[in-house]
Structures are given as C-alpha cells and as structure tokens.
Amino acid sequence: MWLRIRAYLKQNEHIKDQLIRKNRVARNYNLFINTLHTEEKKELPEAVIVLGNRNSEQELTIFTSLYCEMCKDICETINKILFAYEEEIRINIFFKKHPVEDKNEPLYILQNLYLSDGSEEFMKAFKFWFENKNLKPWKDKKQPLSNKNDDTITSLNTWFSMNNIISTPSVFINEYIYPPEFEKEDLYYHIEGIIENNE
C-alpha cells in the first residue's frame, strides 16, 4: 500500500515540476515578444466594435465566433484585460458570420447593441451569450433588429478569408498574429507584459 502511495506522490511531484517549467517558458515575456515579432504583420481592416481606449498605441484584435467553444475563454480574457487595462489598450472585435443566416441574429443584436448602448452593455451581452446561448434580455428590450450591418460584417469576413484567417479565435497583438507556439489561455499575461514594458 505504502509503495503505491509513494509512487503516486512521486508522479504528482513530477507533474507539478513539468507544469512549473511549462509556465516559465509560456509566460516568459522576452521569449514571447521575440517570437511575436517574427510572425507576419497584417494591416487589419477598420473595426466596428472597439473596446477600451480607442487612441491607445497598444492594440489587441480578436476574430471570434459566437459558436466556438474556445471563444468563451477569449471573452473572459477580454473582460480581465479591460478590468485591468481599459485605458492602456484598444481591443478590436470582429465576428465570423455563420453560414446559416438564421444563426446570425445574435451577431446583429450584439453589433447593434454596441452601436446604440456602448461597450459596457455590449460586453454584458457578449458574456451572457456564452453562458446562456441566447440574448433574450436584450432582444426583448429593443425594437426588432434588422441586419442593416450585414454588408459590413460580410466584407470584413471576406478580408479575413482572403488572408487565410478562418479559424476562431484568431488573435493579433499590434497587428502581429499571435504565435501558434503559445497558448491563448496565456494571452492575459502577455498583454500585461506588453503594456507594462510599453513595447
């Protein structure tokens, strides 16, 4: 019995050591920034939805989908970044359209909500969507929403598609694509480093 417990404790210790080592590399600011600057830089289209400080030199761009499970984590990360660094960063949000038009109604609600009520209400609804998969509280409050921004969303989607950016979430920091060697779950720590080092 003791030998089994001892083997388990050793294995547990080994896993902990590996995790610490992984985090040291994954959250190493100099390694990240050097890798980021080797990535392709894109001249991104003008965003309709801009959060934080519109005039900031530090820019985070997210191409996301309302039907992507990994995008829920990105939504939470955006919330954390805005809470800590709202005045120091500009966050551009682009949505990928769903091929089934009926499924784009939440996208139109979110975009119209941003344009009419601003970023705070937009972020509440964005977070609510990932928690509940509906926007009923906002849909019921508003007049029937049209897809009047359909052309804008379509043209932006075309830009991403033409530039071979089709997966969501796709992330850019100051127009450099987020390095694939780094986990997106560490995005907050890298943004923190960039802002604090004023890169």
Side-chain angles (χ1 to χ4, degrees):
M1 184 72 166
W2 165 243
L3 287 173
R4 278 189 194 166
I5 293 169
R6 197 169 153 200
Y8 172 76
L9 290 172
K10 271 190 175 179
Q11 185 184 15
N12 203 28
E13 197 62 36
H14 179 66
I15 290 167
K16 266 195 210 168
D17 285 346
Q18 282 184 319
L19 194 59
I20 288 165
R21 260 189 242 114
K22 178 210 168 255
N23 281 339
R24 256 191 224 131
V25 172
R27 295 180 184 172
N28 179 310
Y29 173 73
N30 290 327
L31 181 61
F32 175 77
I33 208 75
N34 288 336
T35 308
L36 178 70
H37 288 156
T38 64
E39 292 299 318
E40 187 181 358
K41 193 173 186 181
K42 299 268 190 193
E43 191 174 327
L44 298 165
E46 190 60 37
V48 174
I49 299 171
V50 179
L51 311 172
N53 180 356
R54 193 174 276 273
N55 300 314
S56 174
E57 288 180 15
Q58 307 305 333
E59 192 171 58
L60 174 65
T61 300
I62 312 279
F63 181 50
T64 185
S65 167
L66 295 179
Y67 298 96
C68 148
E69 272 312 304
M70 286 173 63
C71 294
K72 179 180 181 180
D73 297 334
I74 285 287
C75 176
E76 288 169 11
T77 302
I78 292 168
N79 260 322
K80 274 175 70 178
I81 293 168
L82 285 172
F83 181 78
Y85 300 109
E86 189 173 8
E87 290 305 311
E88 287 86 11
I89 193 161
R90 170 187 170 123
I91 302 177
N92 306 312
I93 307 285
F94 295 95
F95 285 108
K96 185 176 187 175
K97 276 185 79 176
H98 196 282
V100 177
E101 186 54 34
D102 287 352
K103 288 188 172 263
N104 288 315
E105 187 187 33
L107 193 162
Y108 301 133
I109 292 172
L110 283 170
Q111 188 155 297
N112 286 321
L113 187 64
Y114 171 80
L115 293 170
S116 62
D117 292 15
S119 56
E120 197 174 317
E121 199 63 19
F122 164 83
M123 278 309 293
K124 272 190 214 165
F126 192 28
K127 189 173 179 219
F128 188 89
W129 167 263
F130 283 114
E131 289 167 354
N132 302 281
K133 288 292 182 266
N134 73 69
L135 291 173
K136 200 168 185 307
W138 289 271
K139 189 179 175 185
D140 291 349
K141 270 196 272 183
K142 296 277 176 190
Q143 293 296 319
L145 290 161
S146 69
N147 58 354
K148 62 181 180 181
N149 299 304
D150 183 41
D151 289 345
T152 306
I153 295 165
T154 301
S155 65
L156 292 172
N157 274 233
T158 302
W159 184 93
F160 280 95
S161 180
M162 284 172 63
N163 285 274
N164 295 317
I165 301 156
I166 50 174
S167 65
T168 56
S170 286
V171 176
F172 297 81
I173 298 175
N174 296 329
E175 299 186 330
Y176 289 100
I177 195 151
Y178 193 86
E181 298 88 344
F182 291 83
E183 299 289 338
K184 290 191 178 80
E185 65 191 37
D186 293 321
L187 175 61
Y188 176 83
Y189 300 99
H190 300 312
I191 290 295
E192 181 179 52
I194 287 167
I195 289 170
E196 291 184 0
N197 287 281
N198 198 26
E199 283 281 349

